[in-house]
Amino acid sequence: MTLTELKSLILNSDLEEVVNEVILRGESPHFPTNLVAYVQAAVRAKYKLADSDLDIRVVGSAKLGFGLMEKRTKDGLLPRFRPFRPDSDIDLGIISPSLFELIWDDLSAHANNSPWMPWDSGRLGDYMVHGWLRPDHFPKHVRLRRCDDWWDTFSRLSSDRRLGRRAIRGALFHSEEHLRRYQIRGLTECRSALEAGL
């Protein structure tokens, strides 16, 4: 899909349909099904999940060929609609109610051991209320086994030559519906930016 085609799709289509038929279905041109299966096997093995307990969807620029959201980096702001490049991250939506609840339980136990009630979860809670966990907002300077397992697993995957030794990033969603809502929200922001000429 060209950038012109993608922008036209966002401006002129039903966004829920775009998410359902384009983002959440079909193979990624930059991270094919066999590589997704390899990641699934690694996550399942680490957390001892049944096959039915885990689904992974490629999202972001690895799926569409272009990053839809502006992204802050240490070098500045990356623009919306930047093309997928050889050094781009692979962003994955990890869907698993079982795994979500396992990690949530670790976070809850940590919060309950905190001297303050309610525990200040920082931005972690801002995402959790939307049905997903951003690992980059897991508590720092504390050992939480399942959170540490997440970082260990994705660090190993990111250095794996079979995956191209590129950064593999996963966000953990409680359900496909939570991932769908997030993707629709992102497309809505893109449409507003396009309509405003940004």
Side-chain angles (χ1 to χ4, degrees):
M1 178 181 320
T2 68
L3 181 55
T4 300
E5 290 168 337
L6 178 59
K7 288 180 175 180
S8 176
L9 192 68
I10 292 169
L11 281 170
N12 302 310
S13 303
D14 176 85
L15 296 182
E16 188 167 347
E17 188 173 311
V18 172
V19 169
N20 291 335
E21 301 302 322
V22 178
I23 296 177
L24 298 183
R25 295 220 192 319
E27 188 166 341
S28 160
H30 302 290
F31 202 73
T33 303
N34 66 308
L35 299 184
V36 174
Y38 185 77
V39 173
Q40 283 178 317
V43 175
R44 279 192 191 113
K46 175 56 79 173
Y47 291 100
K48 298 177 176 49
L49 300 172
D51 288 356
S52 60
D53 283 344
L54 181 70
D55 190 13
I56 296 180
R57 308 296 174 87
V58 181
V59 294
S61 63
K63 182 61 185 263
L64 296 174
F66 300 92
L68 297 183
M69 308 304 291
E70 292 181 335
K71 182 177 179 181
R72 293 198 179 281
T73 69
K74 61 179 188 246
D75 299 323
L77 188 66
L78 296 176
R80 191 182 311 272
F81 298 116
R82 64 196 172 278
F84 182 85
R85 303 181 326 218
D87 61 344
S88 294
D89 295 352
I90 301 295
D91 293 314
L92 303 175
I94 313 294
I95 304 166
S96 175
S98 300
L99 181 52
F100 188 99
E101 289 168 15
L102 285 172
I103 292 179
W104 175 43
D105 188 60
D106 274 6
L107 294 166
S108 176
H110 172 67
N112 279 297
N113 288 327
S114 167
W116 300 280
M117 176 68 181
W119 171 58
D120 181 4
S121 65
R123 298 200 59 205
L124 178 69
D126 296 340
Y127 288 93
M128 188 183 293
V129 77
H130 290 280
W132 62 295
L133 293 171
R134 274 190 54 172
D136 56 328
H137 293 301
F138 286 166
K140 308 287 191 274
H141 313 298
V142 63
R143 303 296 300 182
L144 300 177
R145 184 175 59 85
R146 292 181 181 116
C147 293
D148 292 344
D149 285 349
W150 183 278
W151 284 114
D152 292 345
T153 300
F154 280 89
S155 292
R156 269 197 312 280
L157 290 167
S158 295
S159 63
D160 193 315
R161 64 176 178 75
R162 287 165 285 196
L163 301 177
R165 289 193 174 100
R166 67 165 69 232
I168 310 292
R169 305 283 182 240
L172 179 58
F173 290 83
H174 189 265
S175 71
E176 182 179 299
E177 182 57 29
H178 291 104
L179 174 58
R180 179 179 292 108
R181 290 176 195 164
Y182 172 65
Q183 294 295 322
I184 291 170
R185 183 183 182 95
L187 288 177
T188 301
E189 285 182 30
C190 286
R191 175 180 280 176
S192 295
L194 288 168
E195 288 173 343
L198 300 175

